[in-house]
Amino acid sequence: MPVNADPMQGLTPTALNDELLRAQDSLRVLSDETGGFAVVNTNDFAGAFDRIIRDQSSYYVMAYYPTNDKRDGATGRSR
C-alpha cells in the first residue's frame, strides 16, 4: 500500500486530492450556472458573507393591480 494511503478507503493522497478538485469544480459549475458563487479553499468566510449581504441588499418588487375592481373571481385577458 502506498505511503499515506487511507487504508479504510484504499485511496492515495493523490486520489483524495483529485476527488476534492472534482467536488470543487462541481460546486463552481453549479454556482456559475445559477448566478451564485463558490467559496472554496478557505476558512475565512468573512469575505463570502460580506458578498452575500451586498448581493441580497438590492432587489426588485413587482406587483399587478387589476383595473377591474370587482372581486368576482373572473379572469381577464392577458395582453
Side-chain angles (χ1 to χ4, degrees), residues 3 6 10 30 37 41 51 53 57 61 66:
V3 177
D6 183 348
L30 178 64
F37 65 99
N41 292 333
R51 181 171 173 187
I53 290 168
S57 64
V61 175

Side-chain angles (χ1 to χ4, degrees), residues 3-39:
V3 177
N4 296 326
D6 183 348
M8 301 300 290
Q9 300 294 320
L11 297 174
T12 65
T14 301
L16 287 171
N17 188 55
D18 290 346
E19 183 61 29
L20 175 64
L21 292 175
R22 278 193 295 275
Q24 290 176 349
D25 286 345
S26 295
L27 287 173
R28 285 185 182 103
V29 168
L30 178 64
S31 65
D32 287 345
E33 291 181 356
T34 58
F37 65 99
V39 179

